[in-house]
Amino acid sequence: MNSKQTKTLNSSEPDLTQAAALLRAGRLVAFPTETVYGLGADARQGQAVAAVFAAKGRPSFNPLIAHLASVSAAQRYVLWSDQAQRLADAFWPGPLTLVLPLRDGHGISPLVTAGLDTLAVRVPAHPTAQRLLTLVDGPVAAPSANPSGRISPTTAAHVMHGLDGRLAGIVDDGACGVGLESTIIGLAPPHPVLLRPGGLAAEDIETVLGQPLRHRDTRDALSAPGQLLSHYAPNERVRLNATRVHPGELMLGFGAMDCDLNLSAKGELTEAAANLFGHLHQLDAMNRPIAVAPVPNHGLGQAINDRLQRAAAPRDA
Ligand code: TXA
Ligand code: MG
């Protein structure tokens, strides 16, 4: 199923038509979204979805997000609710994923949901992703386009570095603007739950819902399957909340300071989010341990710190 050669495409109409045809034929195509690059497969074709898990080397119990071009397209696959409508009105298209109960006759491969009775749906804002999804005219399952457990890709070069030869095509449309994966909210009754902090600040979601989000129960593996502690891992050790650099280390800074790379010299969290994975990729290529300056834990800082903690976590063999 996987070709040895990965075709590089761009955001022109003929190229996106080709990318959509590959997806409909059950092939894998990486594409940009405003958060990170996704590794897409037709969510209705079990073999295509299986190929995504194989290409990433991903444990198959970890469910995928179905990407759709519009709210009405998403409503075909999940049981819609008042809360879903409010969040979609406020934030779609955008870096928000909603987990809702599956609808009867949904046609989604059980590999996408890892056998759960809920589905994660997202309508991305990136114009290239929008156009591609419109041309596919169906749900596209797309995890981040990186080998499982490694740093997420915010450029086509990152995707090629990790997955070249394991997918049919990649749509190259520059760097992703947000730079962090979508925020995932569980809306299956009884309470809205923050399943993964991400590119949309949890505070903004709470404002629209008019209530605080519950946090996921870390003892319940199924409430956020696949949120493994070690993830986004560079080759070398990562040390957090570092106020100074140790001999041999590279320093990833935040705010005005001396360092090898700075997430945001101005101390802006939006800029830091957009730079996070790209900077980790760059430092990773130098094969030295990485010290990371403290990042404030509000707004997008919550998701930045979540990713940094996983990058620094002890790894399984
Ligand atoms: O920004 C993003 O969300 C990117 C771009 C490509 O859209 N995608 C992404 O996918 O980050 P991925 O596969 O790396 O992360 C999806 C996460 C999984 O870790 C899983 O925990 C959660 O979504 N998820 C998916 N379906 C779920 C479900 N039914 N219930 C709970 N969590 C679910
Ligand atoms: Mg991922």
Side-chain angles (χ1 to χ4, degrees):
M1 167 84 32
N2 297 324
S3 71
K4 293 261 182 313
Q5 284 211 323
T6 299
K7 188 179 281 184
T8 302
L9 301 163
N10 60 39
S11 57
S12 68
E13 189 68 11
D15 274 23
L16 291 184
T17 303
Q18 227 186 105
L22 286 168
L23 285 167
R24 279 200 306 264
R27 310 291 301 277
L28 306 189
V29 177
F31 63 96
T33 79
E34 69 277 24
T35 60
V36 299
Y37 273 74
L39 177 58
D42 187 325
R44 298 159 298 192
Q45 299 185 43
Q47 286 211 14
V49 179
V52 168
F53 289 110
K56 283 182 63 87
R58 179 175 193 155
S60 52
F61 52 76
N62 191 352
L64 305 178
I65 298 169
H67 295 67
L68 297 135
S70 65
V71 176
S72 57
Q75 288 169 334
R76 283 184 219 143
Y77 301 96
V78 288
L79 291 177
W80 205 239
S81 68
D82 178 50
Q83 285 177 329
Q85 187 63 45
R86 275 170 25 218
L87 292 179
D89 283 344
F91 302 119
W92 273 0
L96 171 69
T97 294
L98 301 178
V99 175
L100 290 155
L102 271 166
R103 252 189 128 97
D104 282 348
H106 52 77
I108 300 283
S109 161
L111 280 176
V112 172
T113 57
L116 301 172
D117 54 8
T118 53
L119 177 68
V121 286
R122 162 159 131 80
V123 177
H126 196 296
T128 299
Q130 274 282 327
R131 186 65 195 144
L132 178 62
L133 292 168
T134 302
L135 290 167
V136 171
D137 193 23
V140 173
S144 50
N146 52 285
S148 190
R150 307 312 298 262
I151 306 165
S152 296
T154 52
T155 66
H158 295 157
V159 178
M160 293 303 268
H161 180 68
L163 297 176
D164 191 13
R166 297 194 222 167
L167 58 166
I170 172 162
V171 179
D172 183 351
D173 196 13
C176 304
V178 175
L180 286 173
E181 296 90 342
S182 60
T183 302
I184 306 182
I185 303 295
L187 285 181
H191 307 288
V193 179
L194 177 65
L195 294 175
R196 177 178 74 182
L200 179 65
E203 293 94 324
D204 294 344
I205 296 167
E206 289 176 330
T207 303
V208 168
L209 287 176
Q211 63 175 292
L213 290 165
R214 302 283 173 107
H215 283 242
R216 74 189 173 90
D217 184 348
T218 44
R219 291 161 304 180
D220 174 8
L222 282 186
S223 79
Q227 304 261 315
L228 304 173
L229 188 58
S230 173
H231 205 106
Y232 310 101
N235 293 312
E236 299 289 329
R237 191 176 46 75
V238 176
R239 186 168 65 85
L240 302 183
N241 296 314
T243 46
R244 77 171 91 99
V245 65
H246 293 171
E249 283 181 338
L250 296 164
M251 183 80 189
L252 179 59
F254 180 85
M257 62 186 295
D258 248 2
C259 54
D260 295 279
L261 282 178
N262 203 320
L263 289 170
S264 170
K266 288 173 285 186
E268 282 173 10
L269 290 167
T270 317
E271 183 183 29
N275 283 331
L276 178 67
F277 292 136
H279 282 10
L280 283 175
H281 275 284
Q282 277 189 56
L283 295 176
D284 193 25
M286 298 185 222
N287 284 310
R288 279 160 57 190
I290 302 167
V292 188
V295 176
N297 204 37
H298 58 82
L300 291 188
Q302 195 186 351
I304 295 171
N305 283 312
D306 171 81
R307 304 304 188 269
L308 285 171
Q309 276 152 19
R310 291 171 204 276
R315 298 155 198 187
D316 295 336

